[in-house]
């Protein structure tokens, strides 16, 4: 249950045979994200468990289970910024209920990332997914 934006990325990845090309594409996606306001880079938005500095700021429209999920994010590492862009494509525009239902590990696995990320990056990705799911679940339960 990925968003159309994520499906488009998955299709692009299908055409990129070389992992280095995929890696570059992830970095380019990260560079295309709008910058996160420095004022939002605070402990409350920082994701723990990442080797790099990562901040995620939710942007939720509406209330309850059908509220629409979106977020802004930033990292001090280019590849992690790209992972944030992938997660943004995966989750943005979904209801908070749907965010909680997405199997992020399986969706990201479609891109072949799991085989090419270091253990630290994989742990950081899992920490970002966990933060997103927690934020969405809190709104869905409200």
């Amino acid at each position: 249950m990925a968003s159309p934006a994520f499906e488009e990325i998955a299709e692009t990845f299908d055409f990129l045979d070389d992992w280095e090309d995929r890696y570059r594409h992830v970095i380019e996606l990260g560079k295309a994200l709008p910058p996160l306001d420095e004022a939002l880079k605070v402990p409350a938005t920082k994701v723990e468990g990442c080797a790099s500095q990562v901040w995620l700021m939710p942007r939720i429209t509406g209330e309850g289970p059908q509220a629409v999920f979106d977020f802004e994010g930033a990292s001090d590492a280019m590849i992690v910024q790209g992972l944030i862009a992938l997660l943004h494509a995966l989750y943005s525009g979904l209801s908070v209920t749907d965010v909680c239902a997405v199997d992020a590990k399986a969706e990201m696995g479609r891109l072949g990332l799991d085989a090419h990320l270091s253990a630290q990056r994989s742990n950081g990705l899992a920490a970002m997914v966990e933060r997103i799911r927690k934020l969405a679940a809190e709104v869905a339960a409200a």
Side-chain angles (χ1 to χ4, degrees):
M1 167 195 313
S3 71
F6 189 82
E7 290 300 336
E8 189 175 309
I9 291 169
E11 287 176 20
T12 299
F13 267 63
D14 286 342
F15 288 107
L16 299 174
D17 295 327
D18 183 21
W19 173 246
E20 286 184 22
D21 290 338
R22 290 180 176 195
Y23 199 81
R24 274 193 291 278
H25 187 60
V26 169
I27 290 171
E28 289 303 315
L29 291 170
K31 287 179 180 177
L33 281 180
L36 184 66
D37 188 322
E38 289 297 319
L40 297 175
K41 294 180 180 179
V42 295
T45 61
K46 191 165 189 281
V47 178
E48 297 301 325
C50 297
S52 307
Q53 301 278 342
V54 175
W55 299 270
L56 297 178
M57 180 66 193
R59 299 278 185 227
I60 298 173
T61 308
E63 297 177 8
Q66 295 311 309
V68 176
F69 188 83
D70 195 5
F71 72 92
E72 294 177 76
S75 174
D76 60 350
M78 287 191 310
I79 189 64
V80 178
Q81 183 76 13
L83 295 176
I84 292 168
L86 292 175
L87 292 175
H88 190 264
L90 182 61
Y91 290 116
S92 291
L94 298 179
S95 72
V96 291
T97 303
D98 288 344
V99 166
C100 295
V102 169
D103 184 345
K105 186 173 174 103
E107 293 297 337
M108 296 301 253
R110 290 171 51 204
L111 304 180
L113 290 176
D114 41 357
H116 296 279
L117 293 178
S118 67
Q120 281 186 319
R121 294 277 186 249
S122 293
N123 290 342
L125 180 60
M128 288 187 281
V129 168
E130 186 58 35
R131 170 67 72 88
I132 288 168
R133 290 176 60 93
K134 182 177 181 226
L135 291 167
E138 288 170 359
V139 173

